[in-house]
Amino acid sequence: MTQATSLGCACGEVSLRVDKAPIISAECCCDSCRAAVARFQALPASRLLLGPRDASRFVLYRKDRVHFLQGTDRLAEFRLTPESKTRRVVATCCNTPVFLEFQSGHWLSLYGGLWADGTLPPLELRTMTSDLPPGPALPTDVPNSRHQSVAFFIKLLGAWVGMGFRSPKLTFVKAELPR
């Protein structure tokens, strides 16, 4: 039996299914993620995206295990700069951030807000904590990596091997979020 999880934007216009277990469940503390979330939170009807440590919650899945079921025409990309190799994709119907994609990446970082309350996979690590401003010490419930850790890259490499070294292209996101 295949483990499948149904996910969607806040209003339900965009829906997707993820199959099997994720690669990893993480919080990203990098400056870019925090800047993008600040932009998203300024959109009408936006929900709080940053956790108590100003981190963006992501669940990483192999692209071949993410299936968009409806609403791809409502997706728009946002890049921090025109040259950015990272794009973040938002459901424009309700301004729900859906995923982050690295150019030529074989995985999608799905925003934790897609999961219903109480169903988000448990946090496994925090990454890029070196970008956080000085403040209270981070909890020690999971590893707090100053940068991307070797273990993080090993998990991504294992997923890529499992995909036969393929990096599927997502060509259905055609719109851009206005700056």
Side-chain angles (χ1 to χ4, degrees), residues 48-132:
L48 179 65
L49 295 172
L50 290 177
R53 289 162 294 284
D54 284 344
S56 296
R57 190 69 158 80
F58 290 110
V59 182
L60 285 65
Y61 271 90
R62 291 170 34 167
K63 282 184 179 176
D64 62 348
R65 293 184 176 173
V66 179
H67 310 281
F68 284 84
L69 306 174
Q70 71 176 25
T72 56
D73 60 320
R74 302 203 184 277
L75 297 176
E77 73 174 42
F78 172 75
R79 295 177 190 263
L80 287 172
T81 66
E83 318 61 57
S84 178
K85 295 187 183 299
T86 303
R87 70 177 179 164
R88 290 157 176 92
V89 175
V90 175
T92 58
C93 44
C94 58
N95 293 322
T96 299
V98 179
F99 65 84
L100 176 149
E101 178 185 33
F102 289 94
Q103 184 175 317
S104 302
H106 60 280
W107 75 95
L108 290 180
S109 299
L110 300 173
Y111 279 94
L114 296 174
W115 274 258
D117 289 342
T119 65
L120 185 63
L123 182 64
E124 296 175 64
L125 66 87
R126 287 181 195 90
T127 188
M128 296 303 297
T129 62
S130 62
D131 282 1
L132 286 174

